[in-house]
Amino acid sequence: MQITGTFIDEISHDIPHQNWGREEWDRDFAYMKAVGIDTVIMIRSGYRRFITYPSQYLQQNYGCYAPPVDLVGMFLELADKHGLKFYFGLYDSGHYWDTGNLQDEMDANRFVIDEVWKQYGHYQSFGGWYLSMEISRKTKGATEAFRTLGQQCKDVSGGLPTFISPWIDGKKAVMAATAQLSKEDAVSLRQHEEEWSEIFSGLHGSVDAVAFQDGHIDYHELEDFFAVNKKMADQFGLQCWTNAESFDRDMPIKFLPIKFEKLRLKLEAARKAGYDKAITFEFSHFMSPQSAYLQAGHLYNRYKEYLQSLR
């Protein structure tokens, strides 16, 4: 199972910024292309007051800071140059994380979607949308939020694809800011299927793919959960992707590049389940030869060897 897409996390709250400029990003897109990545996904266009493009709407209505660089424009130009598809990730106001209410995310992104398509829709590489609201369980308003914003994305862009990347509420679904590595109240396979079947039943035509994050369950649980995910995706007409996390959730230091053996276990489980695509969170920090983490370059080398063994 080959990784063909990666998130780009330039607005983060739990991994360090690498302070790259255009030269470093240009080089990183080339590294991605060299191992078969054809899709880059900006994970969010903003988080609270920090934003990736000079949004007049977000600056005026959410008090966002004017960004020193138009990252969206730069990523689209580099995607054009390297022949990659670019997916735009919606804005995250942070209000949902504080209140559990998705209404603010809907209200903000109705304007962001129109603004972004007007400013950047002409780029050849603009290939789709990422609905960046992350949930794990049946959440009040989640189906409506995904359906409403997904449909608007498709309407303004002539039907470009949309996808979501929720997490499985497994034993390793713990807050990054704590030293805790696992919890007792993990979701059962049956609960997972029941709750997500209900959500997926309301998304027909507005969301094209689901890429469950794969790091919150244990490695011996992958086969069962992946089989259920593929079954649900097929039932509700969704593409089934895997978000193969390239960082390690099993260590008290959050977060470092993953051991290759663990990444391989996850990719092989996705292959066995018949998944349609593998993306990762995320190449530039945890797999790139120029990452701030020395181990990331070694993971890149091990991954290249893995790809060669598949030929």
Side-chain angles (χ1 to χ4, degrees), residues 71-121:
L71 292 171
V72 175
M74 182 183 72
F75 290 148
L76 282 161
E77 290 167 5
L78 293 175
D80 278 357
K81 174 182 175 180
H82 292 276
L84 305 176
K85 286 183 181 178
F86 174 86
Y87 276 64
F88 179 88
L90 301 187
Y91 172 67
D92 183 344
S93 73
H95 295 170
Y96 163 69
W97 300 111
D98 297 335
T99 66
N101 189 340
L102 283 162
Q103 188 61 50
D104 282 325
E105 311 315 316
M106 293 176 63
D107 293 342
N109 280 297
R110 285 189 177 119
F111 292 92
V112 167
I113 291 165
D114 288 342
E115 182 181 57
V116 162
W117 185 251
K118 183 177 180 181
Q119 290 181 217
Y120 304 103

Side-chain angles (χ1 to χ4, degrees), residues 9 12 33 54 60 67 74 85 88 95 107 117 130 160 192 203 214 231 254 259-260 270 284 289 296-297 302 307:
D9 192 1
S12 177
K33 187 77 176 287
Q60 291 171 7
M74 182 183 72
K85 286 183 181 178
F88 179 88
H95 295 170
D107 293 342
W117 185 251
Y130 170 55
L160 287 182
H192 176 72
L203 301 183
D214 70 0
K231 172 187 170 185
K254 300 175 182 179
K259 181 182 180 181
F260 173 69
S284 298
R302 301 294 79 74
L307 292 183

Side-chain angles (χ1 to χ4, degrees), residues 241-273:
W241 300 359
T242 188
N243 180 357
E245 293 179 344
S246 42
F247 64 93
D248 202 331
R249 290 189 181 272
D250 304 327
M251 299 178 64
I253 302 173
K254 300 175 182 179
F255 296 101
L256 296 174
I258 200 168
K259 181 182 180 181
F260 173 69
E261 179 184 1
K262 295 177 179 179
L263 180 60
R264 178 170 179 161
L265 279 172
K266 299 192 294 182
L267 291 174
E268 289 298 311
R271 179 194 59 78
K272 186 174 181 180

Side-chain angles (χ1 to χ4, degrees), residues 84-260:
L84 305 176
K85 286 183 181 178
F86 174 86
Y87 276 64
F88 179 88
L90 301 187
Y91 172 67
D92 183 344
S93 73
H95 295 170
Y96 163 69
W97 300 111
D98 297 335
T99 66
N101 189 340
L102 283 162
Q103 188 61 50
D104 282 325
E105 311 315 316
M106 293 176 63
D107 293 342
N109 280 297
R110 285 189 177 119
F111 292 92
V112 167
I113 291 165
D114 288 342
E115 182 181 57
V116 162
W117 185 251
K118 183 177 180 181
Q119 290 181 217
Y120 304 103
H122 62 282
Y123 282 93
Q124 183 178 356
S125 56
F126 200 125
W129 306 84
Y130 170 55
L131 311 182
S132 62
M133 302 85 72
E134 292 185 31
I135 64 172
S136 64
R137 304 287 291 268
K138 185 169 63 176
T139 302
K140 183 179 179 181
T143 302
E144 180 187 1
F146 285 140
R147 182 177 61 241
T148 300
L149 295 176
Q151 192 59 57
Q152 183 180 343
C153 287
K154 296 177 81 66
D155 288 346
V156 302
S157 63
L160 287 182
T162 62
F163 85 97
I164 61 176
S165 187
W167 79 87
I168 300 168
D169 195 22
K171 62 181 290 186
K172 291 190 273 186
V174 296
M175 295 296 291
T178 70
Q180 190 178 358
L181 294 177
S182 64
K183 64 179 186 177
E184 295 295 329
D185 57 336
V187 71
S188 70
L189 194 63
R190 180 177 177 181
Q191 287 174 305
H192 176 72
E193 182 173 7
E194 288 176 352
E195 294 183 5
W196 278 100
S197 292
E198 183 177 333
I199 295 170
F200 290 159
S201 68
L203 301 183
H204 180 71
S206 56
V207 175
D208 297 291
V210 57
F212 277 105
Q213 301 168 27
D214 70 0
H216 297 89
I217 54 176
D218 217 337
Y219 301 100
H220 65 273
E221 299 177 293
L222 290 168
E223 183 173 344
D224 290 340
F225 273 94
F226 280 18
V228 164
N229 291 345
K230 185 65 165 68
K231 172 187 170 185
M232 290 190 293
D234 289 347
Q235 180 181 353
F236 295 102
L238 297 166
Q239 289 187 33
C240 192
W241 300 359
T242 188
N243 180 357
E245 293 179 344
S246 42
F247 64 93
D248 202 331
R249 290 189 181 272
D250 304 327
M251 299 178 64
I253 302 173
K254 300 175 182 179
F255 296 101
L256 296 174
I258 200 168
K259 181 182 180 181
F260 173 69

